Amino acid sequence: MIIVMASRKKEDVDHVVAKVEELGYKAHLIVGVERTVIAAVGDERGKFRLQALESLPHVEKVVPILKSFKLAGREVKQEDTIVKVGSARIGGKTFSVIAGPCSVESREQITEIARTVKEAGAKILRGGAFKPRTSPYSFQGLEEEGLMLLEEAREKTGLPFVTEVLTPEQVPLVEKHADMLQVGARNMQNFGLLKAVGRAKKPVFLKRGMMSTLNELLMSAEYVLSEGNPNVVLCERGIRTFETETRNTLDISAVPVLKNLTHLPVIVDPSHATGHWALVGPMAKAAVVAGADGVMIEVHNNPAEAFSDGPQSLKPERFQQLMKEIVPLVKLAGKTI
Ligand code: PEP
Ligand code: MN
């Protein structure tokens, strides 16, 4: 249920929050430009008791949230959420470029790529230290050492970084180092992990599962939000279809659909969506035009020898070129990089 406050005074709001909690619900305060609302979430069966709060002073009305996702929806928060990632921002009028290698491989590799992508205009570095690989015999990542190397790259370039966390047990370690925690496609419905990152103090980059609907993606975001972490960024990274010419099929319509349903920022990953470097540029441009809040692009200084995802990684000069090409489109979309 949404409790729309008639008053914005702290004591009035606190009083209603206390009443909501007394009834056994979690109260999430959403202070917007236009109005202050309290989203009361919990067991649906007691909603008539929440409805009765309409009689409290300073409450304008109590209305049900119709969608299955509550905190993620535009019903409770109309304004776009802007997520802080270190010195960078995702959402609103910003178009965020997140770039870097699939995996952190060595100090030289991550430092060099970080410098290149920063120079080209990326605001956030990516790089996997814990890798979810289809085969247990494939490179699994440098793990903690990879996190340290990402920290070094951040020190040298000033770029905040996002990196994947695979298990709930890894959350404290990854959270200690990273600026944003990535939950990968394969883990989108790992509810234990979603709850763990929901309790973390760092923002979460949530990738759509390759066989998941948008409603399921939003329900996964809801897990994170309901644990108290309001900073979630959604990522469309392609879904599995019958098509085999591309690694996945980029569901570009996911962007306007999500932007309509949720206030959370939406990023497109054209690298995993297509699986081939030559398709990354066109799909990145499509993402800008579709209204995405940014792109996540894999860049490697030597794709032919990359430990993972070489075929879809852009060489530095191709990345630089793409950045030049998207600037006018970003402007057209009313955003700035
Ligand atoms: C990645 O970002 O390198 C990755 C493994 O992505 P996804 O979870 O989308 O496959
Ligand atoms: Mn990858």
Short mmCIF file of all heavy atoms in Angstrom, two decimals, residues 213-239:
data_model
loop_
_atom_site.label_atom_id
_atom_site.label_comp_id
_atom_site.label_asym_id
_atom_site.label_seq_id
_atom_site.Cartn_x
_atom_site.Cartn_y
_atom_site.Cartn_z
N THR A 213 11.77 -12.80 -17.89
CA THR A 213 10.89 -11.73 -18.37
C THR A 213 11.24 -10.43 -17.65
O THR A 213 11.94 -10.45 -16.62
CB THR A 213 9.41 -12.06 -18.07
OG1 THR A 213 9.25 -12.09 -16.64
CG2 THR A 213 8.99 -13.39 -18.67
N LEU A 214 10.72 -9.34 -18.16
CA LEU A 214 10.98 -8.05 -17.52
C LEU A 214 10.31 -7.99 -16.15
O LEU A 214 10.84 -7.38 -15.22
CB LEU A 214 10.53 -6.91 -18.42
CG LEU A 214 11.33 -6.83 -19.72
CD1 LEU A 214 10.75 -5.76 -20.64
CD2 LEU A 214 12.80 -6.56 -19.46
N ASN A 215 9.17 -8.64 -16.03
CA ASN A 215 8.52 -8.68 -14.72
C ASN A 215 9.41 -9.42 -13.71
O ASN A 215 9.58 -8.98 -12.58
CB ASN A 215 7.14 -9.35 -14.82
CG ASN A 215 6.42 -9.31 -13.48
OD1 ASN A 215 6.00 -8.27 -13.01
ND2 ASN A 215 6.33 -10.46 -12.83
N GLU A 216 10.02 -10.50 -14.16
CA GLU A 216 10.94 -11.24 -13.26
C GLU A 216 12.16 -10.40 -12.89
O GLU A 216 12.63 -10.44 -11.75
CB GLU A 216 11.36 -12.56 -13.91
CG GLU A 216 10.25 -13.59 -13.92
CD GLU A 216 10.47 -14.76 -14.87
OE1 GLU A 216 11.31 -14.65 -15.81
OE2 GLU A 216 9.79 -15.79 -14.71
N LEU A 217 12.66 -9.64 -13.87
CA LEU A 217 13.80 -8.76 -13.57
C LEU A 217 13.42 -7.74 -12.49
O LEU A 217 14.16 -7.51 -11.53
CB LEU A 217 14.25 -8.03 -14.86
CG LEU A 217 15.30 -6.93 -14.71
CD1 LEU A 217 16.61 -7.47 -14.16
CD2 LEU A 217 15.56 -6.23 -16.05
N LEU A 218 12.23 -7.17 -12.65
CA LEU A 218 11.79 -6.17 -11.67
C LEU A 218 11.51 -6.80 -10.30
O LEU A 218 11.75 -6.18 -9.27
CB LEU A 218 10.56 -5.43 -12.20
CG LEU A 218 10.89 -4.49 -13.37
CD1 LEU A 218 9.64 -4.01 -14.08
CD2 LEU A 218 11.72 -3.30 -12.90
N MET A 219 11.05 -8.04 -10.31
CA MET A 219 10.84 -8.72 -9.03
C MET A 219 12.18 -9.01 -8.34
O MET A 219 12.29 -8.97 -7.12
CB MET A 219 10.05 -10.02 -9.22
CG MET A 219 8.60 -9.84 -9.62
SD MET A 219 7.69 -8.66 -8.62
CE MET A 219 7.55 -9.55 -7.08
N SER A 220 13.21 -9.26 -9.14
CA SER A 220 14.55 -9.46 -8.56
C SER A 220 15.08 -8.14 -7.99
O SER A 220 15.69 -8.13 -6.91
CB SER A 220 15.51 -10.00 -9.62
OG SER A 220 15.12 -11.33 -9.94
N ALA A 221 14.84 -7.05 -8.71
CA ALA A 221 15.23 -5.73 -8.18
C ALA A 221 14.49 -5.49 -6.87
O ALA A 221 15.05 -4.95 -5.90
CB ALA A 221 14.89 -4.65 -9.19
N GLU A 222 13.24 -5.93 -6.83
CA GLU A 222 12.41 -5.75 -5.63
C GLU A 222 13.04 -6.44 -4.41
O GLU A 222 12.97 -5.92 -3.30
CB GLU A 222 11.02 -6.32 -5.92
CG GLU A 222 9.96 -5.96 -4.92
CD GLU A 222 9.48 -4.51 -5.00
OE1 GLU A 222 9.69 -3.83 -6.02
OE2 GLU A 222 8.90 -4.05 -4.00
N TYR A 223 13.65 -7.61 -4.63
CA TYR A 223 14.34 -8.30 -3.52
C TYR A 223 15.42 -7.40 -2.92
O TYR A 223 15.57 -7.32 -1.71
CB TYR A 223 15.02 -9.59 -4.03
CG TYR A 223 14.17 -10.82 -3.83
CD1 TYR A 223 13.28 -11.25 -4.80
CD2 TYR A 223 14.27 -11.56 -2.65
CE1 TYR A 223 12.50 -12.38 -4.61
CE2 TYR A 223 13.50 -12.69 -2.45
CZ TYR A 223 12.62 -13.09 -3.43
OH TYR A 223 11.85 -14.21 -3.24
N VAL A 224 16.18 -6.75 -3.80
CA VAL A 224 17.28 -5.89 -3.32
C VAL A 224 16.71 -4.68 -2.59
O VAL A 224 17.12 -4.34 -1.47
CB VAL A 224 18.18 -5.44 -4.51
CG1 VAL A 224 19.33 -4.57 -4.01
CG2 VAL A 224 18.70 -6.65 -5.28
N LEU A 225 15.72 -4.03 -3.21
CA LEU A 225 15.12 -2.84 -2.63
C LEU A 225 14.47 -3.15 -1.29
O LEU A 225 14.58 -2.38 -0.33
CB LEU A 225 14.08 -2.25 -3.58
CG LEU A 225 14.58 -1.80 -4.96
CD1 LEU A 225 13.39 -1.46 -5.86
CD2 LEU A 225 15.50 -0.60 -4.86
N SER A 226 13.79 -4.29 -1.22
CA SER A 226 13.04 -4.60 0.00
C SER A 226 13.97 -4.92 1.17
O SER A 226 13.56 -4.86 2.32
CB SER A 226 12.04 -5.72 -0.23
OG SER A 226 12.73 -6.91 -0.49
N GLU A 227 15.23 -5.22 0.88
CA GLU A 227 16.20 -5.43 1.96
C GLU A 227 16.81 -4.12 2.43
O GLU A 227 17.66 -4.10 3.31
CB GLU A 227 17.32 -6.37 1.51
CG GLU A 227 16.90 -7.83 1.36
CD GLU A 227 16.51 -8.50 2.68
OE1 GLU A 227 17.08 -8.15 3.73
OE2 GLU A 227 15.61 -9.36 2.66
N GLY A 228 16.44 -3.03 1.76
CA GLY A 228 16.90 -1.71 2.24
C GLY A 228 17.91 -1.03 1.35
O GLY A 228 18.37 0.07 1.66
N ASN A 229 18.33 -1.68 0.25
CA ASN A 229 19.29 -1.02 -0.65
C ASN A 229 18.51 -0.36 -1.80
O ASN A 229 17.96 -1.05 -2.66
CB ASN A 229 20.28 -2.05 -1.20
CG ASN A 229 21.42 -1.40 -1.95
OD1 ASN A 229 21.32 -0.26 -2.38
ND2 ASN A 229 22.52 -2.14 -2.11
N PRO A 230 18.45 0.98 -1.82
CA PRO A 230 17.63 1.66 -2.84
C PRO A 230 18.35 1.85 -4.17
O PRO A 230 17.75 2.31 -5.13
CB PRO A 230 17.35 3.01 -2.20
CG PRO A 230 18.56 3.28 -1.34
CD PRO A 230 19.09 1.95 -0.90
N ASN A 231 19.64 1.50 -4.22
CA ASN A 231 20.45 1.83 -5.38
C ASN A 231 20.65 0.64 -6.32
O ASN A 231 21.63 -0.09 -6.22
CB ASN A 231 21.79 2.39 -4.93
CG ASN A 231 21.60 3.67 -4.15
OD1 ASN A 231 20.92 4.58 -4.62
ND2 ASN A 231 22.13 3.72 -2.94
N VAL A 232 19.69 0.48 -7.21
CA VAL A 232 19.73 -0.64 -8.16
C VAL A 232 19.72 -0.09 -9.58
O VAL A 232 18.94 0.81 -9.90
CB VAL A 232 18.52 -1.58 -7.95
CG1 VAL A 232 18.55 -2.73 -8.95
CG2 VAL A 232 18.50 -2.12 -6.52
N VAL A 233 20.62 -0.63 -10.40
CA VAL A 233 20.68 -0.28 -11.82
C VAL A 233 20.34 -1.55 -12.59
O VAL A 233 20.91 -2.62 -12.31
CB VAL A 233 22.10 0.21 -12.20
CG1 VAL A 233 22.21 0.50 -13.69
CG2 VAL A 233 22.49 1.43 -11.37
N LEU A 234 19.42 -1.45 -13.55
CA LEU A 234 19.02 -2.63 -14.32
C LEU A 234 19.83 -2.70 -15.61
O LEU A 234 20.20 -1.67 -16.17
CB LEU A 234 17.53 -2.55 -14.67
CG LEU A 234 16.58 -2.39 -13.48
CD1 LEU A 234 15.17 -2.12 -13.97
CD2 LEU A 234 16.62 -3.63 -12.59
N CYS A 235 20.08 -3.91 -16.08
CA CYS A 235 20.84 -4.06 -17.32
C CYS A 235 20.21 -5.09 -18.26
O CYS A 235 20.05 -6.25 -17.88
CB CYS A 235 22.28 -4.45 -17.01
SG CYS A 235 23.28 -4.71 -18.48
N GLU A 236 19.89 -4.62 -19.46
CA GLU A 236 19.43 -5.53 -20.53
C GLU A 236 20.68 -6.00 -21.27
O GLU A 236 21.44 -5.19 -21.80
CB GLU A 236 18.48 -4.75 -21.46
CG GLU A 236 18.26 -5.37 -22.84
CD GLU A 236 17.71 -6.78 -22.81
OE1 GLU A 236 16.86 -7.09 -21.95
OE2 GLU A 236 18.13 -7.60 -23.66
N ARG A 237 20.91 -7.31 -21.28
CA ARG A 237 22.13 -7.86 -21.87
C ARG A 237 21.84 -8.95 -22.89
O ARG A 237 22.68 -9.78 -23.18
CB ARG A 237 23.09 -8.34 -20.77
CG ARG A 237 22.48 -9.19 -19.70
CD ARG A 237 22.17 -10.61 -20.09
NE ARG A 237 23.36 -11.43 -20.14
CZ ARG A 237 23.48 -12.52 -20.87
NH1 ARG A 237 22.43 -12.97 -21.59
NH2 ARG A 237 24.57 -13.23 -20.90
N GLY A 238 20.62 -8.93 -23.42
CA GLY A 238 20.26 -9.93 -24.42
C GLY A 238 19.64 -11.15 -23.78
O GLY A 238 20.00 -11.56 -22.68
N ILE A 239 18.70 -11.73 -24.51
CA ILE A 239 18.02 -12.93 -24.04
C ILE A 239 18.22 -14.04 -25.06
O ILE A 239 18.57 -13.79 -26.21
CB ILE A 239 16.50 -12.67 -23.80
CG1 ILE A 239 15.87 -11.98 -25.02
CG2 ILE A 239 16.30 -11.86 -22.55
CD1 ILE A 239 14.37 -11.79 -24.93
#
